[in-house]
Amino acid sequence: MTTHDVLILGAGPAGLAAAVELKRLGVRDVVVIEREQQAGGVPRHCGHLGFGWKEFRRVLSGPSYAKRLVQAAAGIDVRTGTTALSLEPGGHVHTVSPEGQATITGRRVLLALGTRETPRSARLVSGSRPWGVFTTGALQQLVYLARTQPCKRAVIVGTELVAFSNLLTMRHAGIKPVAMIEPGDHVMAPAPGDWIARIAFATRVLTRTRVVAIHGTRTVTGVEIEREGERSVLACDGVVFTGRFVPEAAIVKVSHIALDAGTGGPVVDQYGRCSDPDYFVAGNLLRPVEASWTAWGEGRAVAHAIAASLHGALPAATRLIALEPQSPVRYVCPQRLAAPAPLPAALPFNARMVHATRGCLRVLAGKRVVWNQERRFLPERRIDLPFDTTHLGSTESLAVDFAESAHS
Amino acid sequence: MEPPAPLFDVAVIGGGVVGCAILRRLALGGAECVLLERSADLLAGASKGNSALLHTGFDAPANSLELACMRAGYREYLDIRVPLNLPLVETGGIVVAWNDEELVKLPAIVEQAHANHVTDVRLIDTAELYAREPNLAPGALGAVLIPGEHVIDPWSAPLAYAHQALAHGAIVRRSTEVQGGEREDDHWLLATTTGEITARVVINAAGLYGDQIESIARPAPFEIRPRKGQFVVFDKPARELVYSIVLPVPTARTKGVLVCPTAYGNLLIGPTAEDQEARDVATVDEDALERLIERARTLVPALANHTVNAVYAGLRPATQFKDYQIEALPDRSWITVGGIRSTGLTSALGIAQHVADLYAQHFGALDWTAEPIWTPVPNLCEERPRRWQEPDAGEIVCHCELVTRHEIEAALSGPLPAGDLGGLKRRTRCMMGRCQGFYCSWRVAQLAAGRLTDVPAAIEER
């Protein structure tokens, strides 16, 4: 059985960027496996523009960007239609492909498995369960890959940035957006998302509105909503649940590798290294969810850490300082700081809040404040924690806490 | 000139598990049968959503027809499951007492089980309980072990019955709703949405519509009162947390909420028990689902770290009576099979035996000399080899449930192809995993284009 230098799971932006960078760094034997029939990852089915500026200095559509990623990886052994079944110690990954089951081994393994949205079922949405209930990802693939018009009039649930991409997908497929629904006071995507919806797409954005139930027996006939105590039904034949991304980590959950409850992804240090130091992580498996160029950048950065690890140049994970988020900090990623930290971090420390709030976010070594910042914080926005990792003394953990402003 | 419509020996109304089992039994007995199903596919009513258990009958009412049918159905399932390639997940069941009030009821449960001829049922102490179920919450006071309670595949089994019936010459007509019927000379003339059907004998296995169909023959002596059960399915990593079917001590009203593994490798909690009017739709309800999840996490604290895959609700065709409503009406050439409640999956084969006896007694001899033709169905049970594990597995379409393109194509063809998306999901498990179609619904839509009633075909390139 051959042992490859690096085995990469997932041929999306993170996995392909890592493969290309590893080659550039002189790592010869890199294998990428991808369970889909085509490499490229999620951008394959994001039919709209907005990809590729950081990577290729071009404004590309998702599919064009995915093609570029694949072209950039020409010469690399990318095996599509190959599904990882289980992760074992020693870098052994059990797989299945049309050639049958096999164990593929990497001296190092990079997990770049990506992310997906939370479907209607796991959101526990009330009502019937007819055809016509989708996630953004499913709708995009039905429209751009299968070239179907899965519904004609759809309600979009959620106002994260990804929710607005549905307007473009729907325009492409001739689906009329009926309304966008947001339980909070404000649209979650950064401005000017809401006025784009209103003006460019003539779509109502209903804030402080929640979905009560889905109606319809064979196909969706409407979405019942509640707004300011009043219930009504929006007639439609489609509902798209957007956002609430979760790392696609089921294979990790049943493995020996530690998962973090906060991110839903593996526990990693600043090099992207897992609790099993032969395994690394990059891209949106780390946490939900960043744009393609961030995942791509993480793939490149973690490739450097992996190359260093292969040469024995990455500091051993002997002393790990745990970063401990305190409510309302939802998570911190990476979750561990390997100390001492002579090399630059591949993954900068960052955090997210559970809800919108104003106050002071702090990183504490015992009682000593290592870093703090006072401002307004929004959920679903990345908060960078650029604290100094070199002078932490003998602390075993770093608390990441938050004190709300008195006047907020 | 159109050929004269065939005169069937039997028209079975209703393509649920009971109708499929009856169709199989009578076809094996040489009767010329047709099954009429109102939906685009079989198993679209009460048989769509249940707890997928093969019951011993340990807690069934003593001396009831339900118990007799369950015992007979249980035995026949074990006899035919191998040639039909149907699974049996030998979990056993455990009734757990969590307080003194429940604890004192346990001996009576054992007594009733023994009276029902389920003789291996016994009390176990908490040491044995926790040895069997180490992830169960602490605080249990005692338990009853029912070794014979098992988990099966609730959809493959009735589909296998239907396939065997087809092999023996039966005909299945879907999207065929019976709208009325009249006796003419020596046969029934049934008006349906796809034309007239003539048959000497009609069997009403219409489940949730049983009382409405019964009124074709006579004023219905029972009234269907749909009872809804909601369920929550946890993702596969949770499967290993529970080994048995963990049952509560039943109350007068309900058997209560159980936790058990599924044949597909998930963990299931449910059902609720809610009476409702509607027969055609079983809605889920956020509050009820949250209570189920909370209950599951109380019973099995480690479930706090596990996520929900799917939720569903099923309807049971309960009536005002406790027992099944099965009888032959010799002067009407009609057999009523009504009020088959939640035990129908277990009892269906036994009901079919009973119905065949009634048929032979009142309407004509059956001929059991033909050698049965076995029609094994594809295995979907996680504990047995799946298609993707075979050397020529080919493309995997559904990543969560590891469903191959071969399986989807097979389910879309053959003598009983999937009629709608629900039927395709029940035959293959595609789109039924943790992502619920995020990754594979486009590919399923592509493969199924033009072949399912509810999935849109591809549109022209713009």
Side-chain angles (χ1 to χ4, degrees), chain A residues 347-358:
Chain A
L347 302 173
F349 289 92
N350 66 95
R352 288 210 196 184
M353 304 301 269
V354 171
H355 52 74
T357 182
R358 179 181 291 280

Side-chain angles (χ1 to χ4, degrees), chain B residues 218-229:
Chain B
R218 57 170 172 167
F222 58 87
E223 182 194 340
I224 296 294
R225 298 173 176 174
R227 181 171 283 187
K228 181 167 79 178

Side-chain angles (χ1 to χ4, degrees), chain A residues 265-335:
Chain A
V267 173
V268 292
D269 66 15
Q270 74 270 33
Y271 307 115
R273 182 167 52 183
C274 295
S275 58
D276 174 345
D278 291 338
Y279 283 81
F280 289 74
V281 183
N284 282 329
L285 180 66
L286 286 166
R287 91 281 84 181
V289 54
E290 298 278 3
S292 52
W293 53 86
T294 304
W296 181 86
E298 288 167 348
R300 281 224 305 192
V302 173
H304 283 258
I306 292 172
S309 170
L310 286 168
H311 297 130
L314 197 66
T318 45
R319 189 175 152 233
L320 287 170
I321 302 171
L323 282 95
E324 293 170 349
Q326 318 287 318
S327 174
V329 182
R330 182 146 73 105
Y331 66 72
V332 179
C333 184
Q335 298 84 352

Side-chain angles (χ1 to χ4, degrees), chain A residues 138-163:
Chain A
L139 181 77
Q140 284 179 345
Q141 294 175 74
L142 283 162
V143 167
Y144 290 113
L145 301 184
R147 303 196 180 283
T148 62
Q149 186 191 44
C151 57
K152 293 195 161 59
R153 292 168 53 84
V155 169
I156 300 166
V157 182
T159 59
E160 291 174 44
L161 195 55
V162 64

Side-chain angles (χ1 to χ4, degrees), chain B residues 264-287:
Chain B
Y264 316 119
N266 297 90
L267 197 69
L268 179 70
I269 179 147
T272 58
E274 307 156 58
D275 294 320
Q276 72 171 46
E277 292 287 316
R279 299 159 188 249
D280 61 340
V281 60
T283 56
V284 292
D285 170 66
E286 183 179 355
D287 294 338

Side-chain angles (χ1 to χ4, degrees), chain B residues 351-406:
Chain B
I351 291 170
Q353 290 174 22
H354 181 60
V355 167
D357 290 345
L358 291 174
Y359 182 91
Q361 190 182 335
H362 298 289
F363 304 119
L366 290 166
D367 173 9
W368 303 107
T369 53
E371 195 62 27
I373 300 162
W374 295 104
T375 50
V377 288
N379 171 56
L380 300 178
C381 176
E382 201 78 345
E383 301 193 348
R384 302 172 60 225
R386 295 266 316 270
R387 186 69 179 84
W388 65 265
Q389 289 162 299
E390 291 174 22
D392 60 338
E395 175 188 347
I396 291 174
V397 172
C398 168
H399 301 301
C400 302
E401 297 292 313
L402 296 171
V403 182
T404 64
R405 177 180 176 167
H406 291 310

